[in-house]
Amino acid sequence: MMMKKKKQVPEWLNSSLWYSSSDHHRFDPPEPPSPLPPPVSVSEDPPTIPTNHDASPSSSISSAPSAADDTSRHGHAHTQLLVELSRKVIDMRELRRVASQGLSDAAAQALRPTLWKLLLGCLPPDRALWSSELAKKRSQYKHFKDDLLINPSEIIRRMHNSTSHDIDDAKFQSRTLLARSQITHGDHPLSLRKTSIWNQFFRDTEIIEQIDRDVKRTHPDMHFFSGDSQFAKSNQEAFKNILIIFAKLNPGIRYVQGMNEVLAPLFYVFRNDPDEENAAFAEADTFFCFVELLSGFQDNFCKQLDNSLVGIRSTITRLSQLLKEHDEELWRHLEITTKVNPQFYAFRWITLLLTREFDFSDILHIWDTLLSDPEGPKETLLRVCCAMLILVRRRLLAGDFTSNLKLLQSYPSTNISHLLHVANKLHVQSV
Amino acid sequence: MHNISQRKRTLLKVIVLGDSGVGKTSLINQYVDKKFSQQYKATIGADFVTKEIQVDDKLVTLQIWDTAGQERFHSLGAAFYRGADCCVLVYDINIQKTFDTLNNWHDEFLKQADTNDPEAFPFVLIGNKVDVDGGNSRRVTEKKARNWCASRGNIPYYETSAKEGYNVEEAFFCVAKIAQENEHVQDIFFGGISESVSEAEQQQQPSRCAC
């Protein structure tokens, strides 16, 4: 069968909207990650997009900016965001609307930490409650650390010395370490029997080792996360603490590879808060925001739900349906003609919330939009994924299985404002 | 306009499995790109690379699937395993546990891949990281590994160092060789922009599979 060269493109896809000045990006090879992206969102060239504003502001709460007047809007949005964040009681609907328009470089570092905490529900809308709420959470986190964490060298020491177990806290016993009283002579550490008390202990150790391996592999190209500096080491320590505590408090999910990547943007943003006190408590604040964020996405991480209506497979199927709905030709070419199972690329896109697909500063930009959507980040995420496919549709339609899968597994760098605009357009289309 | 041609090629689908951190991604990158890095991120889901090689005067495309090591991802395997021509099992000779789990990987693969003849399905075992600590931290002897291979229907065994590029070429050549015996020809459509073809390397290969 010959590949069709001439294809019928749905009318709306022919809109010059899709092929703006950012068009050239789509044919660039993916750029290697920059050694140390700046801690602020990138400023794109304002794409010259025709004034095809069929998305009336009233048709959607989260109507995205037309990328045309990106820059001027950014200044305006900054002021608006400041205004919204200064209110005595934050109007969340208004905040989401303003935030969804994107943060300017200037606004990003100063405002993003507070913005994300509000959007994730870790700060209540009433400002008067902020300090007490933060104090409560930070103290709770300290308790988690005291109760659940034993430093790795202590664990190693204990592994070699079974008589030194003295963790008796019954409350956490079942999910953490073992009570000394339960260890009998028959329960030799080398026993691999499922009933072995040591088995549970080793499972914990296994998870901790896995976390340790992955934390070291988190953004190895960024000094913030990686390297031998004191700063990087203390950040890695915070990462490990958060992931271990999460794993122990959530025995049904524990730790799944990739959670480190989802954690990274949160911790990076909070750790770089210009407010020194907030930055000092970044670990605690990140933990609670991470829990909030994952509560919306945890089903994707849960193996038992893989084949259920809420698991990762069905989420991927929904992406496939979304593509079919908006661009059936592309859907057909990808899934029927070239047989690219969406699981081959979308599994990582979705479970990691796109954190592997773009430069770090771009990820923060995308997350502003994900987190500010009033419907919650799940639907927005699928629309952004669908927009990613549509933005490279010409290449995909000309590609075979191999080239298509390679393209989608290492997605080319692209104008993020434009990507988000297209994603929002899909929203408007289906409304 | 793109010059679109249609050719029949031998496509060999290879799945690489093993515990997290044993060096699957490193081995594949050493084999395909002749590079080693300490900086690989953990593989999530499965990554995909291709390499063209010559086996017995025949040009074959190896389609290598690099999988995630964590147990959580097992249940998602079926989509990746289907149609495989060879399965490469990798363990770290310095970590006993990564050897102990080989039975799981082996059986789980056969269960999910849904192959016609599970008894005859070709596997290759790789014991990686022989460079570590000059071999002094080895926990699994070569004899033990070979015994396991014998008990599983004479699986070819290679000890490698992805870091130093030792024996990697040889191991994958064996993979290509035995995969080809299990060959299945598929139609591949090469569009004008398919880079995979031009990336082909046709280098001198070891003359035979030393299995």
Side-chain angles (χ1 to χ4, degrees):
Chain A
M1 192 183 79
M2 292 293 287
M3 194 163 49
K4 272 194 277 174
K5 251 186 294 175
K6 183 66 205 141
K7 49 255 166 190
Q8 277 313 111
V9 178
E11 192 53 38
W12 69 276
L13 281 172
N14 273 328
S15 155
S16 50
L17 268 174
W18 314 117
Y19 307 111
S20 65
S21 67
S22 65
D23 198 56
H24 67 276
H25 285 289
R26 300 182 298 116
F27 296 91
D28 284 344
E31 281 159 22
S34 55
L36 184 60
V40 290
S41 65
V42 288
S43 62
E44 292 86 359
D45 306 329
T48 52
I49 290 190
T51 49
N52 182 10
H53 292 169
D54 46 358
S56 77
S58 60
S59 66
S60 157
I61 293 167
S62 63
S63 65
S66 116
D69 41 7
D70 231 19
T71 314
S72 62
R73 282 221 186 191
H74 265 164
H76 184 48
H78 183 182
T79 319
Q80 275 189 300
L81 198 55
L82 265 178
V83 170
E84 290 306 325
L85 287 173
S86 315
R87 289 188 199 285
K88 206 161 157 283
V89 177
I90 310 285
D91 178 344
M92 288 306 292
R93 191 165 165 275
E94 222 14 53
L95 182 71
R96 287 180 188 280
R97 192 187 62 76
V98 174
S100 70
Q101 298 177 11
L103 270 64
S104 67
D105 289 3
Q109 193 171 359
L111 304 183
R112 192 176 268 144
T114 307
L115 173 68
W116 283 16
K117 282 174 196 172
L118 279 161
L119 293 175
L120 282 164
C122 286
L123 280 179
D126 186 349
R127 284 180 78 87
L129 302 174
W130 285 6
S131 66
S132 64
E133 183 64 26
L134 284 176
K136 199 179 86 192
K137 287 200 155 81
R138 287 165 184 174
S139 137
Q140 198 183 352
Y141 183 75
K142 191 177 172 301
H143 284 298
F144 285 147
K145 275 178 89 162
D146 293 344
D147 289 339
L148 301 174
L149 289 186
I150 296 171
N151 74 54
S153 61
E154 178 71 3
I155 288 170
I156 303 295
R157 198 177 67 76
R158 287 174 186 212
M159 279 179 71
H160 294 290
N161 183 5
S162 64
T163 58
S164 66
H165 281 268
D166 50 7
I167 308 292
D168 283 320
D169 187 347
K171 196 166 140 212
F172 293 112
Q173 201 169 288
S174 58
R175 27 171 114 111
T176 60
L177 292 173
L178 314 159
R180 179 183 179 175
S181 59
Q182 292 181 330
I183 297 174
T184 64
H185 285 296
D187 209 2
H188 190 269
L190 296 180
S191 161
L192 289 171
R193 281 184 300 129
K194 283 268 187 274
T195 53
S196 161
I197 298 170
W198 276 93
N199 200 290
Q200 171 63 30
F201 175 76
F202 281 130
R203 271 170 58 86
D204 277 338
T205 310
E206 212 174 286
I207 284 287
I208 291 167
E209 283 172 359
Q210 182 70 64
I211 289 171
D212 195 41
R213 249 194 316 269
D214 290 347
V215 165
K216 283 186 191 136
R217 299 194 276 184
T218 308
H219 294 287
D221 52 331
M222 289 175 70
H223 296 308
F224 181 87
F225 297 105
S226 182
D228 294 326
S229 72
Q230 261 326 102
F231 187 53
K233 284 213 184 325
S234 74
N235 291 339
Q236 288 185 4
E237 209 49 47
F239 257 62
K240 274 189 252 176
N241 293 341
I242 294 170
L243 291 169
I244 292 170
I245 291 173
F246 181 88
K248 291 192 173 184
L249 291 177
N250 296 276
I253 305 178
R254 295 159 67 82
Y255 168 74
V256 176
Q257 283 195 295
M259 283 182 179
N260 56 321
E261 311 269 353
V262 176
L263 187 58
L266 294 174
F267 185 69
Y268 182 88
V269 165
F270 299 148
R271 186 70 185 82
N272 285 305
D273 193 326
D275 178 311
E276 278 176 30
E277 196 195 347
N278 282 339
F281 283 102
E283 183 182 323
D285 296 356
T286 303
F287 173 79
F288 288 99
C289 286
F290 180 67
V291 171
E292 286 298 330
L293 181 61
L294 274 208
S295 71
F297 288 102
Q298 60 187 352
D299 295 346
N300 290 339
F301 286 99
C302 187
K303 187 171 118 177
Q304 283 72 27
L305 296 175
D306 280 347
N307 295 317
S308 76
L309 281 173
V310 292
I312 181 65
R313 279 217 180 94
S314 83
T315 309
I316 291 172
T317 304
R318 281 174 49 223
L319 169 62
S320 173
Q321 285 162 351
L322 194 63
L323 179 65
K324 189 177 178 187
E325 181 188 325
H326 288 288
D327 191 346
E328 189 164 351
E329 184 195 11
L330 179 57
W331 172 83
R332 189 171 302 283
H333 181 77
L334 264 182
E335 294 191 22
I336 312 283
T337 311
T338 61
K339 296 195 170 57
V340 177
N341 178 339
Q343 192 181 313
F344 296 164
Y345 58 89
F347 180 81
R348 191 178 71 196
W349 289 9
I350 292 171
T351 52
L352 303 195
L353 279 73
L354 296 173
T355 50
R356 275 285 180 85
E357 318 309 320
F358 299 99
D359 283 350
F360 200 74
S361 54
D362 289 343
I363 295 165
L364 302 184
H365 190 166
I366 291 172
W367 277 36
D368 288 336
T369 301
L370 291 186
L371 300 181
S372 58
D373 195 306
E375 287 174 75
K378 270 176 133 170
E379 300 306 314
T380 323
L381 177 65
L382 290 184
R383 281 193 295 272
V384 174
C385 290
C386 188
M388 285 167 68
L389 295 167
I390 289 173
L391 282 186
V392 292
R393 74 185 303 275
R394 282 189 200 157
R395 288 177 69 175
L396 291 172
L397 287 170
D400 60 7
F401 174 84
T402 301
S403 62
N404 282 351
L405 189 50
K406 282 183 177 175
L407 178 66
L408 297 176
Q409 285 201 342
S410 56
Y411 195 81
S413 63
T414 189
N415 182 321
I416 299 300
S417 296
H418 182 60
L419 172 68
L420 296 174
H421 178 71
V422 172
N424 186 60
K425 187 88 161 67
L426 298 177
H427 190 196
V428 176
Q429 286 280 327
S430 29
V431 166
Chain B
M1 270 292 132
H2 297 138
N3 176 25
I4 291 165
S5 64
Q6 181 196 357
R7 279 175 281 172
K8 273 202 167 181
R9 296 209 174 208
T10 305
L11 175 74
L12 301 174
K13 181 170 176 179
V14 177
I15 311 291
V16 182
L17 301 177
D19 281 1
S20 163
V22 297
K24 297 180 292 297
T25 303
S26 297
L27 275 167
I28 293 168
N29 280 292
Q30 178 59 258
Y31 177 57
V32 175
D33 297 328
K34 302 269 172 295
K35 271 189 281 190
F36 177 80
S37 161
Q38 306 275 9
Q39 298 207 328
Y40 294 122
K41 297 179 178 182
T43 306
I44 304 298
D47 287 337
F48 169 88
V49 291
T50 53
K51 175 156 168 138
E52 296 220 337
I53 58 164
Q54 189 114 17
V55 182
D56 297 340
D57 300 328
K58 226 174 148 188
L59 197 60
V60 303
T61 303
L62 285 185
Q63 188 189 79
I64 305 173
W65 290 80
D66 181 13
T67 64
Q70 200 183 21
E71 199 258 350
R72 181 261 174 273
F73 300 102
H74 285 202
S75 63
L76 298 157
F80 302 109
Y81 301 171
R82 211 166 289 132
D85 297 291
C86 180
C87 175
V88 182
L89 300 173
V90 185
Y91 78 100
D92 178 347
I93 64 150
N94 307 290
I95 302 180
Q96 178 71 40
K97 191 183 79 60
T98 65
F99 180 77
D100 298 334
T101 53
L102 289 175
N103 282 326
N104 289 345
W105 285 114
H106 181 273
D107 298 348
E108 193 66 30
F109 174 82
L110 287 178
K111 204 168 92 192
Q112 293 203 38
D114 194 24
T115 58
N116 292 334
D117 186 3
E119 298 281 297
F121 189 86
F123 285 87
V124 170
L125 178 65
I126 293 180
N128 191 34
K129 305 198 188 182
V130 293
D131 58 279
V132 173
D133 198 17
N136 290 321
S137 56
R138 180 192 278 270
R139 291 287 173 273
V140 181
T141 62
E142 187 173 343
K143 185 159 178 280
K144 212 171 154 196
R146 289 200 182 277
N147 284 343
W148 184 84
C149 288
S151 76
R152 290 292 180 149
N154 288 322
I155 292 176
Y157 177 59
Y158 286 84
E159 296 206 335
T160 62
S161 161
K163 188 176 179 181
E164 292 169 1
Y166 168 74
N167 228 7
V168 176
E169 191 80 35
E170 288 80 357
F172 276 95
F173 186 71
C174 176
V175 170
K177 188 105 172 145
I178 67 168
Q180 202 188 11
E181 285 160 20
N182 198 44
E183 182 190 324
H184 77 209
V185 181
Q186 295 190 11
D187 291 346
I188 306 178
F189 299 101
F190 289 94
I193 56 158
S194 171
E195 307 91 328
S196 53
V197 186
S198 56
E199 279 165 10
E201 289 174 63
Q202 295 179 32
Q203 53 218 211
Q204 206 52 37
Q205 297 291 344
S207 58
R208 49 177 304 172
C209 178
C211 8

